[in-house]
Amino acid sequence: MITKLCFCLISISLFSANLRASVADSTLSYLLDTAQFRINDSLNLAEFYFGVPRAALTFVAEDSVLRADFEWRIEVFEGDNLLMSDSWKSTSYANSKNEILPGQTLLSQKSLQMKAGQYTIKTGLRDLRGTGRAEKEEQLLIEPFDSGDLVLSDIQMASDVKREKGRSRFHKNGYRVIPNPSEVCPEERPLLMVYFEIYNLGHPADTTYSVKYWVSNSSGEIVKTLPEKARKIAGPSLVEVSGINTISLPAGAYVLHVEVRDNQNGASSSRQRNFFVHRSRTPAASVAVLPADLAKQALRNYYDSFTEKEIDDEFDAAKWIADHEELKIYEQLNSEQKKEFLARYWVRRDQRPDTIVNE
């Protein structure tokens, strides 16, 4: 089997751990998420996304800095047979305790090529400077993706997705996809970033496929629907990346639904993905009412506390739906103008301004 290891630090909300995994004798918590992608008719790429709260690790003073060392472990079983075992060590540095903040998460990723079958995955984390340790065990079914019919990969939740020309630790098909194993869309950046792949599209000239997104709540009611988008088919296998604004959704559990339709032959395929919205306060946009200028002002107030970097990050995730002129305008604005621009940006896209929710 071919493996790939990745590691980085990112700030995400730790509202909920992955619900599919069971914790055994844990004195240290960590996050675990998985997604599968097609390699060929007989192999899938199974990706495992790990996250540990940085503040939960033991930092020790060493050479004028603080240092934490920890070790990840993964084992793959088929029945009682151990097929693969691997471990890797990681380190985090800080100049002072003030740099170790709640919400910071140290991320790692493991990628395995796996044949069809039912597997038991055992993972573990050990704090090498302290006594904390944790283990998780989950069942993983590997089913080959159909080589003939239109089919979608798993939906990967991401905390950030950007195009990149080089190859970073989290590089995938021309994108840098930073995993979000918490499955939470935090209020600090209320954009649900997703990445998935589309396989077996028809590929004659001048044809299109359509992508449709909608969100349902825990009761199965549809609470958000995005406009269907038609895109050109550039090949039989393509990547879909999107940022979905969740600022109007109250805290709770939701399901993201995705449907892709080949407009040449009418074939369609769908996937869904659970996620959570965390709120420590009610977002200003969720109480926006008519007229539109009040909705814009509510969003403007919401963005008022953002730094310029946070506003840039917000627009960077949202620019997938921006037109060329908007991209040019944004580059010329100062910090305050960017906040105003982003508030107007979302209000202009409200399909039904007579409702409390910005579609």
Side-chain angles (χ1 to χ4, degrees):
M1 293 182 176
I2 299 175
T3 65
K4 179 172 65 176
L5 307 181
C6 302
F7 169 78
C8 79
L9 165 66
I10 195 166
S11 293
I12 60 176
S13 171
L14 300 181
F15 177 69
S16 173
N18 188 296
L19 300 180
R20 293 172 292 172
S22 60
V23 182
D25 300 327
S26 176
T27 56
L28 180 68
S29 65
Y30 65 94
L31 302 164
L32 175 63
D33 191 20
T34 63
Q36 295 183 44
F37 306 92
R38 185 179 188 271
I39 296 178
N40 55 40
D41 290 351
S42 60
L43 283 176
N44 284 4
L45 182 69
E47 292 187 345
F48 301 86
Y49 314 114
F50 301 87
V52 58
R54 191 184 189 202
L57 297 169
T58 303
F59 281 80
V60 177
E62 183 178 289
D63 298 330
S64 74
V65 297
L66 298 175
R67 172 174 173 163
D69 295 286
F70 53 104
E71 181 180 60
W72 295 104
R73 186 186 77 254
I74 185 169
E75 296 176 328
V76 179
F77 291 84
E78 188 172 28
D80 295 329
N81 298 323
L82 176 61
L83 301 182
M84 191 280 297
S85 178
D86 196 11
S87 63
W88 61 100
K89 296 178 181 179
S90 298
T91 300
S92 178
Y93 294 95
N95 292 317
S96 70
K97 290 184 177 180
N98 294 333
E99 292 183 0
I100 307 169
L101 304 174
Q104 292 178 334
T105 302
L106 298 167
L107 299 175
S108 190
Q109 179 173 314
K110 181 78 168 180
S111 301
L112 302 176
Q113 294 185 11
M114 302 183 70
K115 294 182 179 180
Q118 181 75 41
Y119 300 90
T120 299
I121 310 297
K122 295 182 179 181
T123 60
L125 170 66
R126 184 163 62 103
D127 187 340
L128 300 179
R129 296 276 181 158
T131 59
R133 61 178 61 233
E135 294 179 351
K136 297 188 181 187
E137 179 179 316
E138 67 174 24
Q139 300 299 309
L140 181 65
L141 177 63
I142 301 291
E143 293 184 292
F145 293 96
D146 195 306
S147 60
D149 296 332
L150 177 64
V151 66
L152 309 182
S153 74
D154 285 343
I155 299 172
Q156 178 189 353
M157 278 194 64
S159 54
D160 194 23
V161 183
K162 292 182 179 178
R163 290 188 180 274
E164 67 173 2
K165 296 180 180 179
R167 294 186 66 87
S168 67
R169 291 170 174 170
F170 296 99
H171 181 92
K172 188 153 50 188
N173 290 315
Y175 292 90
R176 183 173 181 258
V177 185
I178 304 299
N180 179 4
S182 71
E183 300 181 328
V184 173
C185 188
E187 63 184 331
E188 293 82 9
R189 189 179 185 185
L191 278 167
L192 179 68
M193 300 300 299
V194 296
Y195 169 100
F196 64 91
E197 297 173 5
I198 308 168
Y199 311 123
N200 307 324
L201 284 163
H203 189 213
D206 300 324
T207 56
T208 64
Y209 68 99
S210 297
V211 182
K212 182 170 63 175
Y213 294 88
W214 68 98
V215 175
S216 62
N217 61 20
S218 56
S219 300
E221 301 169 317
I222 297 177
V223 295
K224 188 179 185 70
T225 301
L226 276 67
E228 185 173 299
K229 296 288 186 180
R231 313 189 197 284
K232 290 184 178 180
I233 296 179
S237 297
L238 298 174
V239 167
E240 174 73 13
V241 171
S242 187
I244 301 164
N245 194 330
T246 65
I247 195 171
S248 64
L249 298 179
Y254 296 91
V255 180
L256 172 68
H257 304 262
V258 177
E259 182 179 76
V260 173
R261 185 180 68 253
D262 189 323
N263 294 326
Q264 177 203 11
N265 55 30
S268 65
S269 183
S270 61
R271 285 278 183 177
Q272 62 184 46
R273 175 65 200 255
N274 296 331
F275 71 97
F276 303 88
V277 172
H278 176 48
R279 301 273 185 248
S280 62
R281 62 181 186 273
T282 302
S286 70
V287 297
V289 294
L290 294 176
D293 60 340
L294 293 182
K296 190 271 292 182
Q297 187 58 48
L299 278 164
R300 180 62 179 82
N301 293 341
Y302 175 75
Y303 289 130
D304 195 49
S305 62
F306 281 42
T307 65
E308 184 167 9
K309 182 181 184 306
E310 288 172 336
I311 283 290
D312 288 341
D313 288 344
E314 176 93 349
F315 184 68
D316 187 63
K319 69 182 181 183
W320 304 102
I321 56 174
D323 58 37
H324 181 68
E325 188 64 26
E326 287 173 321
L327 295 175
K328 289 175 57 178
I329 292 172
Y330 186 84
E331 293 176 355
Q332 304 171 21
L333 304 178
N334 61 34
S335 179
E336 291 304 306
Q337 291 170 335
K338 288 177 179 177
K339 295 174 183 178
E340 180 74 15
F341 176 90
L342 200 54
R344 294 178 181 274
Y345 180 84
W346 289 121
V347 170
R348 284 198 303 272
R349 284 164 171 77
D350 190 354
Q351 294 180 307
R352 295 184 58 192
D354 57 321
T355 66
I356 195 171
V357 176
N358 185 330
E359 284 74 17

